[in-house]
Amino acid sequence: VQDFLQKIEAIAAERRIEYLDAVMYYCEQTGLEIETAAELIKKNAKFKARVRVDAENAGYFPKTAKLPI
Protein backbone atom coordinates (compact mmCIF):
# COMPACT_ATOMS: atom_id res chain seq x y z
CA VAL A 1 0.00 0.00 0.00
CA GLN A 2 2.74 2.46 0.95
CA ASP A 3 4.57 1.82 -2.33
CA PHE A 4 1.40 2.62 -4.29
CA LEU A 5 0.79 5.82 -2.31
CA GLN A 6 4.39 6.96 -2.75
CA LYS A 7 4.14 6.44 -6.51
CA ILE A 8 0.93 8.48 -6.64
CA GLU A 9 2.53 11.30 -4.64
CA ALA A 10 5.54 11.26 -6.97
CA ILE A 11 3.33 11.43 -10.06
CA ALA A 12 1.29 14.29 -8.59
CA ALA A 13 4.43 16.26 -7.75
CA GLU A 14 6.25 15.50 -11.00
CA ARG A 15 3.34 16.31 -13.28
CA ARG A 16 1.89 19.01 -11.00
CA ILE A 17 -1.56 17.45 -11.04
CA GLU A 18 -4.14 16.66 -8.38
CA TYR A 19 -3.99 13.35 -6.51
CA LEU A 20 -7.20 12.16 -8.13
CA ASP A 21 -5.73 12.74 -11.59
CA ALA A 22 -2.48 11.06 -10.53
CA VAL A 23 -4.40 7.95 -9.47
CA MET A 24 -6.21 7.80 -12.81
CA TYR A 25 -2.93 8.35 -14.70
CA TYR A 26 -1.22 5.58 -12.72
CA CYS A 27 -4.08 3.19 -13.42
CA GLU A 28 -3.96 3.94 -17.14
CA GLN A 29 -0.18 3.45 -17.29
CA THR A 30 -0.03 0.23 -15.28
CA GLY A 31 -3.36 -1.38 -16.12
CA LEU A 32 -4.41 -1.34 -12.47
CA GLU A 33 -8.19 -1.37 -12.06
CA ILE A 34 -9.68 1.80 -10.57
CA GLU A 35 -11.55 -0.34 -8.03
CA THR A 36 -8.27 -1.85 -6.83
CA ALA A 37 -6.73 1.61 -6.49
CA ALA A 38 -9.79 2.72 -4.50
CA GLU A 39 -9.30 -0.16 -2.07
CA LEU A 40 -5.65 0.81 -1.58
CA ILE A 41 -6.59 4.45 -0.99
CA LYS A 42 -9.24 3.48 1.58
CA LYS A 43 -6.52 1.85 3.70
CA ASN A 44 -4.80 5.20 4.37
CA ALA A 45 -7.00 7.86 6.00
CA LYS A 46 -4.64 10.76 5.24
CA PHE A 47 -4.39 9.92 1.55
CA LYS A 48 -8.13 9.23 1.38
CA ALA A 49 -8.77 12.74 2.70
CA ARG A 50 -6.46 14.26 0.06
CA VAL A 51 -8.28 12.48 -2.75
CA ARG A 52 -11.64 13.49 -1.25
CA VAL A 53 -10.64 17.17 -1.26
CA ASP A 54 -9.57 16.89 -4.91
CA ALA A 55 -12.89 15.25 -5.77
CA GLU A 56 -14.82 17.97 -3.93
CA ASN A 57 -12.90 20.70 -5.73
CA ALA A 58 -13.63 19.01 -9.05
CA GLY A 59 -17.35 18.88 -8.20
CA TYR A 60 -17.64 15.09 -7.87
CA PHE A 61 -18.78 15.37 -4.23
CA PRO A 62 -20.60 18.10 -2.38
CA LYS A 63 -18.17 20.18 -0.36
CA THR A 64 -17.92 19.33 3.30
CA ALA A 65 -17.74 21.95 6.02
CA LYS A 66 -14.23 22.86 7.09
CA LEU A 67 -12.99 24.68 10.14
CA PRO A 68 -11.53 28.15 9.53
CA ILE A 69 -7.74 28.31 9.54
Side-chain angles (χ1 to χ4, degrees):
V1 173
Q2 286 302 101
D3 186 46
F4 167 76
L5 299 178
Q6 288 174 347
K7 288 178 183 178
I8 298 302
E9 287 184 355
I11 291 169
E14 177 183 309
R15 296 184 162 271
R16 296 182 180 151
I17 57 176
E18 303 290 336
Y19 287 104
L20 187 59
D21 294 329
V23 170
M24 290 188 286
Y25 176 81
Y26 180 82
C27 289
E28 287 175 5
Q29 296 300 310
T30 62
L32 183 69
E33 294 290 327
I34 294 289
E35 292 81 10
T36 305
E39 290 300 319
L40 294 172
I41 291 168
K42 287 179 189 177
K43 293 180 181 181
N44 185 300
K46 185 177 176 182
F47 199 80
K48 181 179 173 182
R50 289 179 184 171
V51 173
R52 171 95 186 183
V53 168
D54 287 349
E56 286 176 3
N57 291 338
Y60 296 125
F61 290 116
K63 293 194 182 235
T64 56
K66 294 179 179 61
L67 295 173
I69 297 177

